[in-house]
Amino acid sequence: MTDKIKEYIAEAEAFTTANKEELEAFRIKFLGKKGILNDFFAEFKNVPNDQKKEFGQVINNLKKAAESKVAQIQEAIESKEEAKGVYGDLTRPGEPFAVGSRHPISIVKNQIVDIFSTIGFNVSEGPEIEDDWHNFTALNLPEYHPARDMQDTFFIQTNPDVLLRTHTSSVQVRYMEENKPPIRTISPGRVFRNEAISARSHCIFHQIEGLYIDKDVSFADLKQTLLYFTKEMFGKSKIRLRPSYFPFTEPSAEIDIYWGLKTETDYRITKGTGWLEIGGCGMVDPNVLTNCGIDPVKYNGFAFGMGVERIAMLLYGIGDIRMFYENDVRFLEQFKSSI
Ligand code: DAH
């Protein structure tokens, strides 16, 4: 009989479950009123006296094995239930969370930066709150110069020397003050103008400025650089430089790209001409070089400036500049697949 009990001990020790009902069945089988243990206890009186001691010990071992098994499994189940209470069902599938998208202005800015960086331009930045020198005077726009009216300026409080930069050309000045030629830099950034907000213009927008200073730089270098850019950016290989005026460049030009006249939209955005203006450019005025501590006899170069919103509107067919600043997710989500 002790062999039979030992078999039960082995069975109790090997038992395992994570299920409450199965554990209860085990408990009843071994420790219940009509369970195995009670059966053996009832047998006790029939055991010969000389075997009683040994019988008592094995039966006690069985009792211990069954009781400790029940306690151990019960604790495991309870602690699992506790964890469920705090964390929920740890095996359920994760909840998907919304992945953001880059803002179209950032996407276009990054593309422009990539294109110019492959031909050796680095990226430079300057402050949005500027002084008169960097935004105007050093760029050949002394006080009372009529061309200051080309850009309606936000002044900070009543101090006319502190203003929100009206263009990223201010970064040209800062870069030349701090770096010696040869210079090849582009400066992306936010600019501010005191203008009425409409579908076509906003008081906050973004520009990318380009500056190239070295020995013997020619207008042809400027044109080839811009041509390379428009090919890479728009896949268009026809540009036109239309004579214009900027105080900081001489000669100056407006950059037009030939967009084509294939669709109705082409007609609308080019006003039936096929040509689109994307920025201004020119050979840096010698006065600007002098103002920034660069000898205009030894060095010359070119500069250009482009509006990022305008380029983004062309690329994505966006009809209203205000959409860039409203941050409506229905608008922003459309750029999810872009870099
Ligand atoms: N700063 C000019 C503007 O905001 C754009 C510009 C034109 C920048 C010609 C240049 C340039 O560097 O050479 O309208």
Side-chain angles (χ1 to χ4, degrees):
M1 188 144 32
T2 47
D3 286 347
K4 186 80 197 149
I5 299 176
K6 281 179 182 160
E7 262 172 43
Y8 279 125
I9 293 178
E11 185 189 328
E13 278 171 349
F15 178 75
T16 170
T17 183
N19 181 310
K20 262 184 167 178
E21 283 76 43
E22 277 176 30
L23 178 66
E24 182 59 9
F26 171 86
R27 194 190 63 77
I28 291 169
K29 179 178 171 189
F30 281 87
L31 303 164
K33 248 187 184 159
K34 294 178 182 160
I36 294 166
L37 254 162
N38 275 350
D39 283 351
F40 283 124
F41 279 127
E43 263 329 291
F44 194 71
K45 56 180 186 303
N46 304 328
V47 175
N49 274 348
D50 59 336
Q51 291 173 25
K52 269 200 163 76
K53 191 174 170 208
E54 194 200 349
F55 186 80
Q57 271 171 356
V58 269
I59 212 170
N60 247 335
N61 286 347
L62 176 60
K63 190 175 178 228
K64 273 192 214 149
E67 279 175 353
S68 78
K69 189 53 121 187
V70 170
Q72 181 198 329
I73 293 180
Q74 192 138 13
E75 202 187 300
I77 291 177
E78 272 168 15
S79 74
K80 220 178 184 181
E81 277 179 347
E82 221 168 76
K84 252 191 202 170
V86 178
Y87 300 111
D89 178 3
L90 295 177
T91 61
R92 73 171 191 259
E95 269 179 39
F97 57 90
V99 180
S101 53
R102 247 182 238 296
H103 195 279
I105 294 299
S106 299
I107 295 171
V108 171
K109 183 199 79 178
N110 290 346
Q111 277 175 351
I112 299 174
V113 166
D114 279 353
I115 290 170
F116 280 104
S117 64
T118 55
I119 52 168
F121 282 75
N122 66 6
V123 175
S124 51
E125 284 181 340
E128 292 177 351
I129 300 173
E130 260 302 0
D131 51 37
D132 183 281
W133 169 258
H134 292 96
N135 197 78
F136 290 127
T137 306
L139 287 163
N140 210 23
L141 278 149
E143 215 185 336
Y144 304 121
H145 193 290
R148 284 193 177 205
D149 287 347
M150 286 164 78
Q151 304 174 354
D152 286 324
T153 310
F154 282 118
F155 292 95
I156 305 251
Q157 294 182 337
T158 50
N159 184 349
D161 193 40
V162 186
L163 47 90
L164 297 180
R165 67 178 176 197
T166 56
H167 52 185
T168 44
S169 303
S170 56
V171 189
Q172 274 190 36
V173 178
R174 289 186 176 273
Y175 198 85
M176 284 190 277
E177 283 173 345
E178 278 155 32
N179 297 276
K180 300 253 149 306
I183 289 170
R184 276 183 227 168
T185 189
I186 51 167
S187 324
R190 196 154 52 155
V191 300
F192 307 83
R193 289 194 198 168
N194 194 357
E195 272 175 28
I197 296 172
S198 70
R200 315 210 83 233
S201 66
H202 209 284
C203 57
I204 300 176
F205 55 101
H206 297 77
Q207 290 187 329
I208 292 214
E209 189 81 10
L211 179 69
Y212 188 115
I213 307 289
D214 206 340
K215 289 177 179 153
D216 305 321
V217 182
S218 74
F219 202 84
D221 296 327
L222 167 60
K223 187 165 184 184
Q224 285 306 312
T225 305
L226 293 172
L227 186 60
Y228 158 76
F229 168 71
T230 51
K231 274 185 192 166
E232 294 290 313
M233 190 77 202
F234 304 103
K236 310 273 182 193
S237 49
K238 206 156 121 186
I239 64 167
R240 159 175 99 174
L241 296 178
R242 203 161 22 87
S244 184
Y245 170 76
F246 298 103
F248 27 90
T249 42
E250 179 58 35
S252 305
E254 224 97 38
I255 311 160
D256 292 348
I257 56 178
Y258 189 70
W259 195 256
L261 280 174
K262 288 202 194 82
T263 66
E264 216 172 297
T265 315
D266 294 344
Y267 266 89
R268 185 169 48 78
I269 61 174
T270 67
K271 299 194 182 96
T273 65
W275 290 95
L276 267 180
E277 187 215 311
I278 56 154
C281 67
M283 303 305 289
V284 178
D285 193 293
N287 286 343
V288 177
L289 295 176
T290 308
N291 288 339
C292 301
I294 291 176
D295 182 358
V297 178
K298 256 170 117 177
Y299 294 105
N300 72 333
F302 62 76
F304 55 86
M306 293 181 282
V308 182
E309 277 78 357
R310 178 150 176 81
I311 293 176
M313 286 167 89
L314 288 173
L315 285 177
Y316 294 119
I318 296 164
D320 191 325
I321 196 170
R322 289 169 292 196
M323 289 189 166
F324 291 119
Y325 315 108
E326 282 163 3
N327 283 334
D328 185 327
V329 286
R330 290 167 300 181
F331 171 70
L332 296 176
E333 269 177 353
Q334 297 177 51
F335 302 93
K336 250 185 189 156
S337 56
S338 306
I339 50 158

